[in-house]
């Protein structure tokens, strides 16, 4: 794959992803991080790096006890450590 | 509860000079007033307190946090 076809592929992928995440704005989303942490919140917005602004957020630490931290108001989640997005997800079962 | 579309850059404009909590990993929290950040989400805070599980170190004055390790920043009411 040469450089121009690779960048075309990346551009297409980004536009597809943008449309997917755009559909989620205003609804609940469940985010799985690279570490043992999951976040559930209402999606307010995101940017090109999939940094996300969320509201009414619950944070789950996946430990043997399944600890939970609830945060209201708004957070900015760094997109660097996000592994997976689940639209409409409720989070892990505790 | 306001629900309008808000990108990360809008969020960051709103929180200047507001008290925030910056999470580094599951154990460490920094609470201070948001001064500035750059494109890599390196952050400058003022009158910062460091919480490791419970409050451990206290820093006053300015703190610089490297964006590579930041997990979340939340606005504190």
């Amino acid at each position: 794959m040469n450089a121009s076809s690779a960048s075309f592929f990346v551009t297409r992928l980004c536009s597809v992803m943008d449309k997917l995440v755009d559909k989620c704005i205003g609804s609940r989303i469940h985010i799985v991080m690279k570490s043992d942490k999951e976040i559930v919140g209402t999606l307010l917005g995101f940017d090109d790096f999939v940094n996300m602004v969320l509201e009414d957020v619950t944070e789950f630490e996946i430990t043997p006890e399944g600890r939970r931290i609830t945060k209201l108001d708004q957070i900015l989640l760094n997109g660097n450590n996000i592994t997976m997005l689940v639209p409409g997800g409720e989070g892990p079962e505790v | 509860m306001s629900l309008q579309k808000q990108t990360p850059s809008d969020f960051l404009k709103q929180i200047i000079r507001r008290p925030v909590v910056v999470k580094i990993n599951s154990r460490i929290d920094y609470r201070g007033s948001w001064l500035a950040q750059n494109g890599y989400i390196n952050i400058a805070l003022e009158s910062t307190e460091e919480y490791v599980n419970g409050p451990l170190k206290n820093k006053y004055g300015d703190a610089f946090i490297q964006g590579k390790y930041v997990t979340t920043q939340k606005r504190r009411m």
Side-chain angles (χ1 to χ4, degrees):
Chain A
M1 200 183 255
N2 61 25
S4 62
S5 64
S7 67
F8 173 73
F9 175 78
V10 169
T11 312
R12 287 278 318 267
L13 181 63
C14 286
S15 69
V16 167
M17 275 181 53
D18 266 354
K19 285 180 189 134
L20 278 178
V21 188
D22 220 13
K23 282 187 185 170
C24 298
I25 288 186
S27 52
R28 297 295 279 175
I29 189 167
H30 168 205
I31 298 164
V32 181
M33 315 287 287
K34 284 180 193 166
S35 59
D36 294 327
K37 186 193 291 219
E38 301 181 19
I39 307 251
V40 178
T42 305
L43 179 61
L44 294 185
F46 64 100
D47 62 11
D48 286 345
F49 304 100
V50 202
N51 297 317
M52 309 183 78
V53 183
L54 299 162
E55 194 171 51
D56 196 5
V57 171
T58 309
E59 176 184 6
F60 296 86
E61 308 256 359
I62 309 303
T63 65
E65 310 114 25
R67 205 173 80 198
R68 177 195 313 205
I69 306 157
T70 306
K71 308 181 281 198
L72 205 60
D73 209 20
Q74 297 183 357
I75 72 164
L76 172 61
L77 181 65
N78 194 337
N80 251 333
N81 301 304
I82 292 178
T83 299
M84 182 164 74
L85 307 174
V86 185
E90 295 303 322
E93 282 150 38
V94 173
Chain B
M1 217 181 286
S2 65
L3 197 82
Q4 73 273 8
K5 176 162 177 172
Q6 193 175 38
T7 60
S9 45
D10 299 331
F11 179 81
L12 293 171
K13 281 178 204 152
Q14 281 187 3
I15 59 173
I16 286 188
R17 300 258 157 224
R18 300 286 259 345
V20 292
V21 181
V22 179
K23 287 199 143 206
I24 300 295
N25 52 35
S26 51
R27 305 271 175 281
I28 303 184
D29 258 5
Y30 291 93
R31 298 172 193 227
S33 308
W34 185 274
L35 286 182
Q37 94 299 330
N38 66 6
Y40 297 104
I41 318 193
N42 297 323
I43 299 165
L45 293 177
E46 198 173 39
S47 42
T48 313
E49 290 152 20
E50 181 178 16
Y51 292 80
V52 184
N53 300 324
L56 234 171
K57 299 167 191 157
N58 271 325
K59 284 184 300 203
Y60 296 93
D62 299 340
F64 174 86
I65 301 174
Q66 187 163 11
K68 190 164 116 172
Y69 300 107
V70 170
T71 313
T72 59
Q73 308 134 25
K74 93 181 163 178
R75 192 161 80 186
R76 200 165 39 126
M77 272 321 193

